[in-house]
Amino acid sequence: MTGDIDIVSYGLNGEHLVCKISRFHDKKLDTDCLEVTIEHSGRRTALIRTVVIVTVIFILLFSLFELLSLVTAFVTLVNFILLWHATVVGHKGSILLLPGVGIQITTTYSCGYTQSQFLPHRILTNVIINETFTMYRVVFYLAILLGSDCCIDQPVKIVPIFTEFNPRLPLIHQIYYNIKETLFLKSNKT
């Protein structure tokens, strides 16, 4: 079965998220694969670019009028904070599930930096929806449990996915059921 599902949702902080769930058949592996992509709508990137441009214009204007001291220092500090935020916050995240092979988790940050991690199928134990507590709310997140392929005595590792986006619980449920069906239910049938 192949097909795409597009879901528009909001993160816990009110950010506009777009989720795409794609199923496709890999002829080499002769199996159905799944790709899940979550990304910010692009408003954040445009806002950061606008703030950086306005900051540069303010620095140039204030340098012309020789008012560099406190105002320029403040504007530069705000600029560095926004640039730091742009590099830390994920802009696009995706997971590619290949039953029998493993999961590739990729996060692309607003600055263009990409980070990837591959988890082989032999160490995948389960996929869970976990919860964590902050000072004033409960936050749910999707996580992959990893076991050891050599030793039973080693503790289980938890690898959270899509934490940069803080998706709400209904979106996490849809992703969870698709991952569970693709990775574990179909591999148990064979």
Side-chain angles (χ1 to χ4, degrees):
M1 177 181 164
T2 60
D4 292 347
I5 301 171
D6 290 333
I7 303 165
V8 177
S9 182
Y10 291 94
L12 293 178
N13 299 326
E15 298 168 330
H16 190 248
L17 299 176
V18 178
C19 178
K20 183 174 184 178
I21 301 174
S22 303
R23 292 189 174 279
F24 59 95
H25 187 77
D26 189 315
K27 293 179 182 178
K28 287 183 181 180
L29 298 173
D30 192 31
T31 186
D32 290 332
C33 302
L34 178 75
E35 182 175 21
V36 179
T37 304
I38 294 182
E39 62 183 310
H40 291 287
S41 65
R43 294 177 188 164
R44 165 178 283 158
T45 307
L47 177 67
I48 289 172
R49 287 183 187 151
T50 304
V51 168
V52 169
I53 290 171
V54 169
T55 304
V56 169
I57 290 171
F58 272 112
I59 290 174
L60 290 174
L61 285 175
F62 286 122
S63 66
L64 290 175
F65 295 112
E66 298 179 6
L67 298 172
L68 290 174
S69 59
L70 188 60
V71 175
T72 304
F74 177 74
V75 170
T76 305
L77 179 66
V78 169
N79 190 18
F80 281 121
I81 290 171
L82 288 172
L83 289 176
W84 174 79
H85 184 64
T87 58
V88 172
V89 175
H91 176 68
K92 180 179 179 182
S94 67
I95 55 173
L96 177 62
L97 294 91
L98 303 169
V101 178
I103 298 176
Q104 179 173 328
I105 303 169
T106 305
T107 303
T108 304
Y109 296 93
S110 297
C111 65
Y113 174 72
T114 300
Q115 181 180 12
S116 295
Q117 179 182 15
F118 181 75
L119 308 171
H121 191 269
R122 69 179 182 276
I123 64 171
L124 298 178
T125 305
N126 205 350
V127 177
I128 61 169
I129 296 175
N130 207 1
E131 61 185 16
T132 187
F133 301 97
T134 62
M135 291 181 74
Y136 56 93
R137 67 179 173 190
V138 177
V139 178
F140 295 94
Y141 64 91
L142 194 61
I144 299 171
L145 297 180
L146 301 179
S148 175
D149 57 345
C150 64
C151 305
I152 296 176
D153 297 338
Q154 289 187 346
V156 174
K157 289 184 183 178
I158 297 176
V159 178
I161 51 179
F162 298 134
T163 55
E164 299 90 2
F165 303 97
N166 291 325
R168 294 183 186 216
L169 192 57
L171 181 58
I172 291 174
H173 274 285
Q174 276 198 307
I175 296 170
Y176 168 79
Y177 289 124
N178 279 287
I179 291 173
K180 196 83 164 166
E181 178 185 4
T182 302
L183 271 185
F184 297 108
L185 296 180
K186 291 186 179 178
S187 64
N188 291 338
K189 292 178 183 177
T190 57

